[in-house]
Amino acid sequence: MSELVTGEAVALELRPARLPSRALAVLLDLVAAMALYVAVTIALVVSTASLDEAAQTALSIATFVLVLVGGPIAVETLSHGRSLGKMACGLRVVRDDGGPIRFRHALVRGLIGVIEILMTFGIVACIASFVSARGRRLGDVFAGTLVVRERIPVTRTGFVPPPPPWLAGRFSELDLSAVPDGLWLGVRQYLTRMQQLDPQVGWSMAERLASDLAERTGAPVPQDVPPAAYLAAVVQERQAREARRAFGNDAAQPTALASSASASAAAPATDGSAGTGRTPTAGNAQTAGSAPAAAARPVGRSEVVSEPSGGERRPTESPGVSAGERPGTGFVPPA
């Protein structure tokens, strides 16, 4: 990338075109111009056969100047820097400040191009473009222009792996305001490519990035959390906060539901029954009032029955339990 500064002090990141793409674009332009020149010359020879030799020579010179010099100037002016070859190669001529070129820029480029491209067969233009840091030929230097790439190859964005479920919401109180964008970019690039790295190299990179992130946030990395998992969890927390700022609190509800479901699955709930010591799971819950559940229920536990008329559900207790000795029901709401 080449950083250009406009007149409004705005920095632009443009990718200058290099010698191979520019040479291909110039070659396509020359082929098109020569084909047009030959066609116009044949038409003039046929139509001016009755003229003398001096008039035919003058017409030949005028045709050369108009087609091979004036043609590229007119095309670049009208198309704002996109000739036929440049459109095919995805290039464009712009000013040094990133703006579109005008007639004077195209005129200077075209006149100097006659010398460094047509008369020297492109040798001078190739040398100047190869030496220049931004691939500019002499016409670009005198005209104050630059040839840039318009079509940049699209790279596939790597998938950032999610953190382990047991880390969901653990860093919700972390202060991320002091973390610079460059560090976020480095963490994201590491997470998308960590499967391609050597294990030892990846581990050392994760430790270094986690240390830098902890230094910016002011909170140390937990000892029981691997560095890569810590980075993934913090990145997910940042994305959740950005989603809440952009779309409101409703955007964070799916993440909260997923986190609660993961926590319920990872940590089994303890039974509230006194003296039973059992840990029921959500998958073993059966309909109240069924025969197997009643047979397996210990004495002294409260049960829930429904009225035949579909009224309000009310708890009933076994006869042997007094009101002061009611044990807990052990009901766990579904996740």
Side-chain angles (χ1 to χ4, degrees):
M1 292 291 182
S2 177
E3 187 174 279
L4 304 179
V5 180
T6 66
E8 293 78 13
V10 178
L12 301 177
E13 287 188 354
L14 301 176
R15 176 172 292 183
R18 295 304 178 184
L19 181 59
S21 58
R22 295 194 60 176
L24 180 59
V26 170
L27 181 61
L28 293 177
D29 289 337
L30 287 178
V31 169
M34 290 302 296
L36 179 61
Y37 175 72
V38 171
V40 173
T41 301
I42 293 175
L44 288 177
V45 169
V46 173
S47 60
T48 61
S50 59
L51 298 178
D52 56 0
E53 184 178 356
Q56 291 181 355
T57 303
L59 286 176
S60 299
I61 295 175
T63 302
F64 176 84
V65 173
L66 290 177
V67 175
L68 296 182
V69 179
I73 294 175
V75 170
E76 286 193 353
T77 302
L78 297 176
S79 63
H80 299 289
R82 298 183 66 192
S83 62
L84 181 63
K86 290 181 176 62
M87 284 190 293
C89 297
L91 309 180
R92 179 190 286 270
V93 183
V94 297
R95 301 196 305 262
D96 279 341
D97 59 356
I101 64 171
R102 301 184 183 276
F103 172 73
R104 58 186 178 88
H105 303 98
L107 179 62
V108 174
R109 281 174 49 84
L111 293 179
I112 298 180
V114 174
I115 301 174
E116 63 175 343
I117 295 178
L118 296 180
M119 293 185 177
T120 61
F121 301 98
I123 296 177
V124 175
C126 290
I127 294 175
S129 180
F130 183 78
V131 173
S132 175
R134 294 190 290 180
R136 303 201 302 175
R137 62 180 179 90
L138 296 180
D140 294 317
V141 174
F142 286 100
T145 57
L146 176 68
V147 180
V148 298
R149 298 188 63 88
E150 279 192 315
R151 295 197 300 265
I152 299 176
V154 178
T155 57
R156 297 182 59 184
T157 305
F159 173 73
V160 178
W166 53 275
L167 283 178
R170 183 169 179 178
F171 303 102
S172 58
E173 303 297 332
L174 208 60
D175 183 15
L176 305 179
S177 59
V179 181
D181 293 338
L183 183 55
W184 286 124
L185 180 60
V187 172
R188 185 179 180 86
Q189 289 179 347
Y190 165 76
L191 292 176
T192 56
R193 300 176 183 176
M194 64 180 181
Q195 301 297 335
Q196 307 172 2
L197 301 175
D198 181 77
Q200 296 182 353
V201 176
W203 184 269
S204 61
M205 290 181 61
E207 286 184 337
R208 186 176 69 253
L209 290 173
S211 176
D212 295 342
L213 194 59
E215 182 180 357
R216 297 287 184 173
T217 58
V221 182
Q223 297 293 334
D224 58 336
V225 179
Y230 169 78
L231 295 175
V234 175
V235 168
Q236 187 187 54
E237 176 62 28
R238 178 175 184 258
Q239 293 175 349
R241 294 183 185 181
E242 292 179 350
R244 285 194 294 268
R245 283 196 299 266
F247 306 105
N249 293 331
D250 294 339
Q253 289 182 359
T255 304
L257 292 176
S259 302
S260 61
S262 302
S264 300
T270 58
D271 192 359
S273 302
T276 59
R278 295 170 50 185
T279 57
T281 58
N284 295 331
Q286 299 182 359
T287 306
S290 60
R297 187 179 300 112
V299 178
R301 297 191 59 182
S302 60
E303 58 184 19
V304 179
V305 297
S306 59
E307 296 293 341
S309 59
E312 181 182 1
R313 298 169 62 92
R314 57 186 179 82
T316 61
E317 299 177 355
S318 298
V321 180
S322 62
E325 299 178 354
R326 292 178 183 175
T329 60
F331 175 74
V332 180

